[in-house]
Amino acid sequence: MNTRRVFLQKGFLGISGIALASTFQLKAQAATLVKKKKEDGFHLGVAGYSFVNFKLDESLSMMKRMDIKYLCIKDFHLPFTSTATEITNFHEKLKQSGVTGYAVGPIYTKSTKAIDDAFDYAKRVGVNLIIGIPNKEDLQYLSNKTKETGIKFGIHNHGPEDKLYPNATVIFNLIKDLDENIGMCFDMGHDTRDAQDAIMDLKKYHKRIFDIHLKNVTSATADGTTCELGRGVIDIPLFIQALRKVNYTGKCSLEHEKDMEDPLAGMAESAGYFRGVTAS
């Protein structure tokens, strides 16, 4: 019996055995990462407002370059008055770019009639989520509407300048006893600008968070402005850990309100950072 065989029988791996064990360990780690990535229920998207200065074709071209496949539809790309044919053509154009329109809005609904119109629009577009800003006095009417239709409505918070819905806590306290299909589109940046803890708010209110406007901001004050995802005051790795902890299954849509005449570089940086953090 040769020495190498004796070492193996006695439990000594030797150099080749150590190398083999290391290979197995690396494969196991890689498999764990792949498994974790597959288990994530959330997906990267784009909030349509990011493309306010661009036509649909230009917007889809940027999304294709970033390999982002989900879009929250704004009315400047698909007007409220669109016909059935125009809506079909719109979806076909998205499909050709590998993009799915998953929601509409934000829509300001300043009356019950505007709420009805928003739900009619969502139904015709074929989505199950409206992002909007309703009047407080219309919340009970909105609750009846979400219960009747099954279409979800996510109220958007807009930071300290917003007298209606500055942060997630204000929204939750107004909707907690209403139909469960009323929730929020959680703008983590504006929440932070209102001196709130976006990570803590995600954990506290996740059951009523239907959509996330993904961004970072330069400071946790009213003067804070949107910046690339990895450059601001919100700890994005901790935010992603929280997404996983609460099993968030909605979209995380980039809303890039910086360099809006030429947003691609900043959006691409943010998308790459988000993917890098989720992969690691």
Side-chain angles (χ1 to χ4, degrees), residues 10 18 35 39 56 64 79 93 138 168 219 236:
K10 290 184 177 181
I18 291 173
K35 183 178 180 182
E39 288 176 349
L56 180 61
K64 189 171 184 178
K93 184 168 285 190
D138 294 333
S219 69
I236 301 302

Side-chain angles (χ1 to χ4, degrees), residues 119 123 128 142 144-152 181:
F119 276 82
K123 185 177 180 179
N128 197 46
L142 179 61
N144 296 339
K145 197 74 177 179
T146 57
K147 188 173 184 179
E148 172 193 336
T149 64
I151 295 175
K152 295 179 180 292
N181 284 325

Side-chain angles (χ1 to χ4, degrees), residues 60-279:
L60 292 175
S61 176
M62 284 187 272
M63 290 186 68
K64 189 171 184 178
R65 292 180 68 181
M66 294 184 289
D67 193 28
I68 297 178
K69 302 183 183 303
Y70 298 96
L71 176 68
C72 184
I73 301 164
K74 275 295 289 177
D75 56 289
F76 50 72
H77 284 152
L78 185 63
F80 298 137
T81 56
S82 296
T83 65
T85 299
E86 289 169 335
I87 291 172
T88 298
N89 292 341
F90 175 87
H91 284 304
E92 181 58 32
K93 184 168 285 190
L94 263 60
K95 183 179 179 180
Q96 290 172 3
S97 294
V99 172
T100 298
Y102 73 90
V104 293
I107 301 172
Y108 285 84
T109 56
K110 296 184 179 296
S111 66
T112 56
K113 172 64 164 56
I115 289 174
D116 290 342
D117 291 343
F119 276 82
D120 176 68
Y121 176 64
K123 185 177 180 179
R124 289 186 294 111
V125 174
V127 297
N128 197 46
L129 174 62
I130 301 168
I131 309 304
I133 304 91
N135 290 339
K136 288 182 180 179
E137 60 267 26
D138 294 333
L139 287 177
Q140 185 58 60
Y141 184 87
L142 179 61
S143 179
N144 296 339
K145 197 74 177 179
T146 57
K147 188 173 184 179
E148 172 193 336
T149 64
I151 295 175
K152 295 179 180 292
F153 194 105
I155 299 175
H156 189 291
N157 61 291
H158 271 119
E161 300 85 1
D162 184 354
K163 302 309 179 186
L164 291 177
Y165 311 110
N167 60 58
T169 299
V170 168
I171 295 175
F172 181 78
N173 287 336
L174 287 167
I175 67 171
K176 60 185 178 182
D177 297 322
L178 298 177
D179 182 60
E180 62 183 12
N181 284 325
I182 297 182
M184 65 184 85
C185 171
F186 180 48
D187 190 309
M188 56 195 282
H190 285 316
D191 194 67
T192 301
R193 291 179 58 251
D194 201 47
Q196 307 299 306
D197 185 331
I199 296 170
M200 187 63 66
D201 284 349
L202 170 64
K203 292 177 180 178
K204 285 194 293 187
Y205 307 128
H206 66 92
K207 290 183 180 180
R208 299 297 279 267
I209 293 177
F210 302 154
D211 193 31
I212 291 175
H213 278 182
L214 185 67
K215 64 179 67 166
N216 215 328
V217 288
T218 55
S219 69
T221 67
D223 294 330
T225 58
T226 301
C227 62
E228 290 78 8
L229 208 58
R231 303 191 191 194
V233 297
I234 303 173
D235 190 322
I236 301 302
L238 285 182
F239 189 84
I240 291 173
Q241 286 181 25
L243 290 173
R244 287 174 170 156
K245 184 176 181 64
V246 303
N247 295 314
Y248 176 70
T249 58
K251 304 295 184 290
C252 295
S253 284
L254 291 169
E255 187 176 45
H256 193 71
E257 297 168 308
K258 176 187 177 185
D259 304 324
M260 297 194 77
E261 298 287 341
D262 185 20
L264 180 58
M267 292 181 70
E269 179 182 325
S270 292
Y273 183 80
F274 184 80
R275 289 183 175 124
V277 173
T278 56

